Amino acid sequence: MRYGYFDNEKREYIILNPVTPMSWVNYLGTADYCGIISNNAAGYAFYKSAKTGRLLRFRFNSIPMDRPGRYVYLRDNTDGDYWSASWQPVGKPLSVYKNICRHGLGYTVFESEYKGIKSEFRVFVPVDRPIELWEVEVTNTGSEERDLSLFTYAEWCFWHMDQDLTNFQYILYTCRMGYLEEGIIDYSIRLWPNQRPQGFMASVLPVVSFDTDREAFIGLYRHEGNPEAVERGVCANSLAQGGNPCAALQNRFTLKPGETKYALFILGIGDAATYGVECRRRYARREQVAAEFQKLQDYWAERLAHFTCATPSAELDTMVNIWNQYQCHTTFNWSRSASFNEAGGRDGLGYRDTNQDTLGVVHAIPDLVRDKLVDLLKGQLSFGAAMHSVQPLTWTQGAHNVPEESRIFSDDHLWLLISVPAYLKETGDFDFLNLMVPYADEGTASVYDHLKQALEFSWSKRGPHGLLLGLAADWNDCLNLKGKGESIWSTFLYCLALDEFITLASYLGQEADAAHFRQYRQAIQESIDRYAWDGKWFLRGYLDSGKKLGGQESEQTKIFLNSQTWAVIARVAAEDRLKQAMDSVQELLATEHGIIKNYPAYREHILEVGAVTDFPPGLKENAAIFCHTNTWAVIAEALLGRGDRAFAYYRSFLPAAKNDRADVYTMEPYVYAQFITGKEHPQYFGRARNSWLTGTAAWSFVAVSQYILGIRPAYDGLVIDPVIPQDWPGFEVTRRFRGKKLTIKVRNPHRTGRGVAEMKLNGKIIPGKVIPLAQMQNENLVEVVLG
Ligand code: GLC
């Protein structure tokens, strides 16, 4: 069953049935301001920090699941009936009330129709202002004149979300709401003076009444679905001094048959008397609002134009050209801080997460990636490891950044060896390596030396088999091997990190460094050859007790996905062994909904394995289809040249491919979720959870663009090495690369799906698989024949 469809022309996902199994959300805002909004207008907002800059409140894990939000109520003043511009919160019966929600790039629209009144409610955040514009257009489609009211509703949060959730004895006595005659609500609060910004809500149409006190607007023993003020037809003009502040403004007008009225509300950050008044004046002219909306659309068009594709798969095209890239920008901006699943208390950048997030956007916004890499490098410690999360807004150098020994992870710092080379390959900005960046605790070093330090740290943290110690955890946060426990996955990541560095150092002519790390790579390889293989697949590690993890003789889980995929990605064995490992994946882990992460699931706690053993089978890190890890299986199969399998895996967890089974999948069909429930779960096999902020976004984009379509940057050019399904006749890509534009047309006449038989750049044959940068013109046509 489906709830909506993709309109690729408009770059929208259109939800026809508002009773979605979960809230399906969108992100508003491109810079410091972030608004999250669901298909029923629920959601919250914050400025710069989800933890300390929370402007609009949300009640997490509440019943109903989606309150409060950005609500607009419509009221017929003749009979007193009222409804909302989104289906919830009033929730009129769908037999008489129609609603469509359109999520687009940076905006969401709700269209409603009820008793001869149509409304269109559009919310967006302009590109460079910390405000939301709520546009409401109301049309009388009936034959009688109508007397109508509009009421807005938003609930202010007390900036610091922890305080807002816990410290009522204090925060409920801090706000002092104001109201300006121009129709502007002033939200100012004296919590920690001088540190908090202020908020406001303004109406462009004349305001008939207002409320700033939640209790006055909603009433006792009521909720957002039946506010007393709306029922009564007028607000109480309440000015909260303490209590829970809200923003409710009433407009009232009559509409002749066929007539339309346009109302605009502005909600945002700033001083009401100055910035609020300025915004109200500026946007009183509707053309100004339209211009802001156009600017937002241009912004997204530019961001998405750096990579586009046309393939035989409509689902793939929809995801790559629109939603996957859009999601990548969202994860890049907000890491894992705030969504409908992440309440925002863990602010800042997850170290490994943000390093990986850069991979999904570096082709489009390399300058912003550079800044973010600097933020991350500042979170690296002088001895090479990294802080597990970094708070760029409040970072200061010092010993306070050194984590306890038990909070040092085996992978965090190594991701720099993936993200920095990716940035260099995309941009050719080798000067970046000379930039001096402070360490988190003490001292300063060049970016190049930061990278070396990361490699040295891991070298110093090897265990009894010469493999990397697992430390607090590796990529799998819930695999807490500690002690002498070793992570074979981290060892594979280390191999790739070493290879990346060796390639870079050689390219730069730093032969001594290359030779030094080649010795490490060689020594690690010997340990892998001796201790990593388990007969049909690779082990996942060794436990503190010396027992094998993820092998045939292991307790409970006997195979893990990550050690198979990364064996291929890091090329740690001969081709036949790698193929055998991936064949074991196909045999034991692949399902119709995606590939499960480990099998069989853990059913009992094992202390020396860690928290992964605590989840019920099929959820999260315990034998779910952890989508992030599925992207690596796609890459691995592509690297092995098996395009049919790579594409089948890609499609198995592709949200767009779930659209017709949305009742099973349950989450948004337009963005990736963190995991899909695995086959060992007793009820919910195929059900997705934790959408939007997941590393799946960046890696899916890498998997499809760089490995299936096979277009990947190198230091001196662009590699073209597709591995596509055999029955595809071909595909086309447009790519911007170092200021050049390329149109790449790939044909697959012999249905091999791989192998570059012939490549032409602007009509001239190019040997090999790399289009040299030196031969590119500003506009290029690349013609490739596979075979
Ligand atoms: C979550 C975390 C990520 C971790 C993954 C697996 O997605 O954000 O850092 O790698 O879980 O545990």
Side-chain angles (χ1 to χ4, degrees):
M1 156 175 184
R2 54 153 68 185
Y3 292 83
Y5 66 97
F6 291 92
D7 181 338
N8 290 345
E9 200 70 13
K10 295 205 177 88
R11 296 174 167 171
E12 288 179 347
Y13 186 83
I14 299 173
I15 301 165
L16 300 170
N17 178 357
V19 199
T20 47
M22 296 288 282
S23 289
W24 287 4
V25 312
N26 195 10
Y27 278 73
L28 313 174
T30 54
D32 291 339
Y33 189 97
C34 179
I36 306 176
I37 185 165
S38 82
N39 57 314
N40 277 303
Y44 59 107
F46 57 91
Y47 182 57
K48 292 190 177 171
S49 160
K51 186 172 172 182
T52 59
R54 190 72 65 92
L55 178 68
L56 296 185
R57 184 183 272 166
F58 189 66
R59 280 183 279 286
F60 280 90
N61 220 357
S62 166
I63 304 173
M65 61 185 173
D66 66 341
R67 303 286 169 82
R70 296 162 180 82
Y71 298 139
V72 170
Y73 303 88
L74 295 97
R75 182 178 190 274
D76 185 328
N77 294 321
T78 309
D79 62 8
D81 195 7
Y82 62 90
W83 59 102
S84 39
S86 44
W87 175 54
Q88 291 295 323
V90 176
K92 284 284 184 193
L94 292 168
S95 50
V96 289
Y97 172 94
K98 303 275 167 267
N99 190 279
I100 290 177
C101 168
R102 292 164 26 215
H103 283 316
L105 303 181
Y107 68 91
T108 291
V109 182
F110 304 92
E111 296 172 7
S112 83
E113 221 177 319
Y114 179 68
K115 283 193 178 167
I117 298 295
K118 267 189 174 177
S119 71
E120 185 171 311
F121 169 30
R122 181 165 78 178
V123 188
F124 71 97
V125 174
V127 172
D128 43 20
R129 286 184 171 245
I131 55 170
E132 302 183 7
L133 296 174
W134 298 15
E135 300 181 85
V136 188
E137 212 171 57
V138 187
T139 305
N140 180 357
T141 61
S143 50
E144 308 275 307
E145 183 171 281
R146 304 285 287 270
D147 175 3
L148 299 170
S149 284
L150 288 184
F151 293 85
T152 60
Y153 182 75
E155 207 172 309
W156 306 108
C157 185
F158 287 98
W159 302 111
H160 199 296
M161 67 86 64
D162 289 342
Q163 293 290 311
D164 188 72
L165 282 173
T166 53
N167 197 5
F168 302 141
Q169 64 80 26
Y170 183 69
I171 54 140
L172 288 186
Y173 309 100
T174 55
C175 81
R176 299 164 192 223
M177 298 302 296
Y179 179 74
L180 311 182
E181 281 315 313
E182 288 96 330
I184 306 177
I185 284 174
D186 178 4
Y187 169 52
S188 49
I189 173 174
R190 299 291 179 266
L191 184 63
W192 297 299
N194 307 324
Q195 285 183 19
R196 305 294 142 195
Q198 294 175 311
F200 68 90
M201 181 192 264
S203 164
V204 163
L205 290 185
V207 171
V208 178
S209 72
F210 66 88
D211 268 318
T212 68
D213 187 326
R214 183 180 82 178
E215 277 66 29
F217 182 77
I218 301 274
L220 288 173
Y221 301 101
R222 287 168 176 263
H223 48 79
E224 300 90 341
N226 60 2
E228 199 163 47
V230 178
E231 195 171 289
R232 191 171 58 225
V234 66
C235 300
N237 294 349
S238 57
L239 284 172
Q241 297 284 304
N244 281 296
C246 72
L249 293 171
Q250 182 188 8
N251 296 159
R252 184 169 179 166
F253 44 81
T254 55
L255 281 182
K256 295 198 174 60
E259 201 186 346
T260 297
K261 190 88 180 171
Y262 174 74
L264 178 75
F265 304 94
I266 308 153
L267 176 146
I269 299 283
D271 173 51
T274 51
Y275 193 59
V277 170
E278 184 211 316
C279 284
R280 188 179 170 279
R281 284 203 193 118
R282 165 184 281 261
Y283 297 115
R285 289 178 47 228
R286 193 171 173 180
E287 312 84 77
Q288 292 284 6
V289 181
E292 294 287 14
F293 189 72
Q294 188 54 49
K295 205 162 144 194
L296 181 67
Q297 295 317 291
D298 295 346
Y299 170 95
W300 280 113
E302 200 288 321
R303 286 220 166 181
L304 302 189
H306 295 254
F307 189 103
T308 70
C309 66
T311 73
S313 166
E315 293 154 346
L316 183 157
D317 292 355
T318 301
M319 289 303 293
V320 172
N321 294 332
I322 306 171
W323 295 97
N324 189 184
Q325 291 201 61
Y326 181 54
Q327 185 178 7
C328 285
H329 287 280
T330 308
T331 57
F332 177 75
N333 285 345
W334 303 116
S335 188
R336 305 295 171 272
S337 62
S339 64
F340 266 40
N341 326 290
E342 304 261 12
R346 284 191 310 170
D347 207 1
L349 310 176
Y351 206 85
R352 75 163 77 88
D353 296 332
T354 296
N355 268 293
Q356 295 171 77
D357 291 344
T358 65
L359 304 176
V361 295
V362 66
H363 65 292
I365 47 169
D367 294 347
L368 296 177
V369 166
R370 187 182 198 273
D371 296 345
K372 197 80 98 179
L373 291 174
V374 172
D375 285 340
L376 290 168
L377 287 156
K378 283 192 205 161
Q380 191 188 10
L381 300 144
S382 54
F383 55 91
M387 297 164 67
H388 196 49
S389 71
V390 189
Q391 320 275 333
L393 292 175
T394 51
W395 181 91
T396 52
Q397 191 180 43
H400 58 275
N401 291 324
V402 181
E404 281 175 32
E405 182 86 37
S406 63
R407 290 293 297 161
I408 292 184
F409 291 70
S410 58
D411 68 323
D412 281 330
H413 53 290
L414 290 176
W415 289 107
L416 290 171
L417 276 295
I418 310 298
S419 58
V420 173
Y423 167 75
L424 298 175
K425 288 174 194 170
E426 186 66 48
T427 59
D429 174 17
F430 293 101
D431 277 352
F432 182 60
L433 291 170
N434 301 322
L435 185 74
M436 297 301 285
V437 179
Y439 283 114
D441 49 345
E442 56 176 2
T444 294
S446 67
V447 172
Y448 185 79
D449 285 344
H450 273 258
L451 299 184
K452 281 167 55 176
Q453 203 60 347
L455 295 174
E456 294 293 357
F457 175 73
S458 288
W459 180 251
S460 73
K461 292 288 176 192
R462 283 166 301 139
H465 301 89
L467 306 164
L468 259 58
L469 290 170
L471 306 182
D474 63 18
W475 169 87
N476 183 341
D477 258 329
C478 305
L479 204 56
N480 317 114
L481 304 183
K482 304 201 182 84
K484 294 198 293 296
E486 292 165 288
S487 162
I488 286 180
W489 177 82
S490 285
T491 308
F492 292 169
L493 172 65
Y494 189 45
C495 289
L496 186 66
L498 285 164
D499 286 342
E500 284 289 352
F501 189 84
I502 293 163
T503 307
L504 175 63
S506 308
Y507 184 78
L508 299 172
Q510 301 288 345
E511 271 315 321
D513 286 338
H516 172 72
F517 288 110
R518 249 183 232 118
Q519 285 175 15
Y520 287 8
R521 177 71 177 84
Q522 184 53 37
I524 293 281
Q525 186 61 48
E526 282 163 21
S527 295
I528 291 173
D529 292 346
R530 288 178 67 184
Y531 300 117
W533 183 244
D534 191 53
K536 288 189 174 161
W537 57 80
F538 290 94
L539 294 171
R540 185 65 172 77
Y542 286 89
L543 303 178
D544 192 28
S545 58
K547 287 183 190 162
K548 291 176 180 171
L549 174 69
Q552 321 223 24
E553 67 191 51
S554 301
E555 283 172 70
Q556 305 186 50
T557 286
K558 297 187 184 306
I559 174 170
F560 282 86
L561 174 59
N562 279 359
S563 33
Q564 320 319 318
T565 54
W566 274 76
V568 183
I569 293 170
R571 287 269 161 202
V572 299
E575 182 104 351
D576 56 340
R577 186 165 276 191
L578 298 176
K579 281 192 167 146
Q580 191 173 1
M582 288 307 292
D583 288 345
S584 297
V585 167
Q586 168 74 18
E587 189 191 331
L588 297 170
L589 303 178
T591 79
E592 62 186 299
H593 295 294
I595 311 167
I596 53 175
K597 208 186 114 291
N598 55 299
Y599 181 77
Y602 285 103
R603 286 170 191 270
E604 276 166 46
H605 180 72
I606 306 179
L607 184 65
E608 62 174 348
V609 174
V612 59
T613 60
D614 296 338
F615 297 110
L619 296 182
K620 291 273 290 175
E621 278 89 342
N622 188 15
I625 295 151
F626 213 91
C627 300
H628 192 152
T629 63
N630 278 233
T631 66
W632 295 328
V634 174
I635 294 174
E637 287 297 351
L639 286 169
L640 293 174
R642 305 196 285 198
D644 283 321
R645 217 186 251 179
F647 184 69
Y649 284 166
Y650 176 73
R651 202 176 171 273
S652 68
F653 65 97
L654 190 72
K658 313 281 184 189
N659 199 38
D660 291 337
R661 300 179 68 186
D663 48 333
V664 176
Y665 184 72
T666 72
M667 298 297 307
E668 296 92 334
Y670 46 89
V671 286
Y672 288 96
Q674 183 196 60
F675 77 92
I676 301 170
T677 306
K679 63 183 176 184
E680 290 183 79
H681 190 280
Q683 290 112 20
Y684 296 126
F685 179 37
R687 185 186 80 172
R689 279 294 178 268
N690 300 351
S691 65
W692 276 99
L693 301 184
T694 158
T696 318
W699 277 106
S700 287
F701 183 69
V702 170
V704 63
S705 61
Q706 299 193 19
Y707 293 91
I708 292 182
L709 304 180
I711 299 166
R712 49 183 180 264
Y715 289 125
D716 48 9
L718 202 56
V719 176
I720 314 277
D721 189 15
V723 182
I724 56 175
Q726 290 189 342
D727 64 0
W728 279 17
F731 67 88
E732 206 173 306
V733 160
T734 65
R735 174 89 158 75
R736 296 191 193 161
F737 180 65
R738 303 209 198 168
K740 320 275 187 208
K741 285 186 180 166
L742 297 107
T743 300
I744 302 159
K745 296 186 178 186
V746 176
R747 289 194 302 120
N748 180 28
H750 313 298
R751 299 297 191 260
T752 54
R754 68 188 172 111
V756 173
E758 184 187 280
M759 183 152 79
K760 283 188 195 159
L761 173 66
N762 300 321
K764 259 182 49 196
I765 297 268
I766 301 279
K769 294 177 179 173
V770 185
I771 311 171
L773 181 67
Q775 293 182 35
M776 287 182 198
Q777 295 166 11
N778 287 340
E779 308 258 343
N780 301 277
L781 175 64
V782 180
E783 292 160 287
V784 179
V785 180
L786 302 181

